Amino acid sequence: MAEVSLDMQEESWFLVANWKMNKTIRQAEEFVERIMPQINTLKYPLWIGAPFTALHSLQEMKKKYTFILGAQNMNDASEGAFTGEIAAPMLRDVGAQFVILGHSERRLSFHETDEYIARKVARAVMSQLVPILCVGETLEEKKENQTLNVLKKQLEAVFEKACPQGLKKMLIAYEPVWAIGTGLSASNEDIEKALSHIGTLSSQYNVESKVLYGGSVGQKNAESLASIAHLNGFLVGTAALEADSFAKIALISENRHFQS
Ligand code: PGA
C-alpha cells in the first residue's frame, strides 16, 4: 500500500470528502465512476474519507482511477479486546492512506477527549496513516471569544503526545462546530485568524501543518474561501455527497487557488 507523501503535495490543494455515515458500497462506487471523468484535468488528487465498509471496494477502484483513500475514525490501540472498534493496521490493510480524527461529531456525540484524540493521532503516525485532525470551537465558545484558546488546547494536546512518536507533518481541518452542516460558514477574516494561530502553534512544535477549512463549504462560497491566503484546502461534508456538486467545488477552488 503506497503511503501518501505530504511533500509531494507541497504546492497543492487538499480537497477532502467526509462522507460520514453515508453510502453503501454500490453508492460509493457510483460516486467515483461519476466524478472521475469530470475532474480529470485537476492538478491534484481528490481525497475521499469513506465509511469502513466501502474501503475495500474503493481500493479496487484505484486500479482505474487516481484518488487518495481514507477513513473517518479509528481506535488508539493497535489491536485487542475492543469490541466493535477498528485499528490502524486494519485500515492500512484495506487501503486507507489517511484518517480523519477528532471530528466534532466524535468529540460531542462520542465524548472523545483531547487526550484520547491525541493518542489516536500518535497511533496514526506510528502506522503511516496521514492524520487529518479536526479542531474548532462551538457557538458558545465563539460567543465567549474563546476560539483561539480552544484551538490551542486541542492542538497542544495532540502535539505533546504525537510529536515524540514522530509527528512532523499533518493536515489540520479548522471546522467551527456551528458551521458544520448548517449552511453558515465562518468569515474569511475569522478563518485567517484561526489559520495564523494554528500555523504559529504548529511551528512551536516543529510540525509542518497544512490547514484546511471545513463547515458548510459549497459551490456558492468555494471561490471566496479558496482565495484565503495560506489556506491549503477544504474538508467537505454535505456538498461532497453528490458527485456533480463535489466536482464543481474541485474545479472552482482549483481555479481560484492556483490563480491567486
Ligand atoms: P459540512 O460538513 O460540509 O456538511 O458542513 C463538514 C464536516 O463535518 O467535515
Side-chain angles (χ1 to χ4, degrees), residues 135-155 174 176 178 190 193-194 197 201:
V135 292
E137 80 286 359
T138 61
L139 186 57
E140 205 172 42
E141 288 161 343
K142 179 181 168 56
K143 283 184 183 153
E144 286 165 5
N145 224 0
Q146 289 302 311
T147 302
L148 300 185
N149 290 339
V150 170
L151 296 179
K152 185 170 176 346
K153 183 173 164 291
Q154 292 174 334
L155 286 168
Y174 170 54
W178 51 270
D190 283 346
K193 276 192 204 141
H197 191 58
L201 284 165

Side-chain angles (χ1 to χ4, degrees), residues 18 20 103-105 134 175 179-183 214-217 235-240:
N18 175 11
K20 309 190 180 183
H103 191 282
S104 61
E105 286 151 14
C134 302
E175 295 208 310
I180 295 175
T182 56
S216 296
V217 175
L235 178 58
V236 188
T238 315

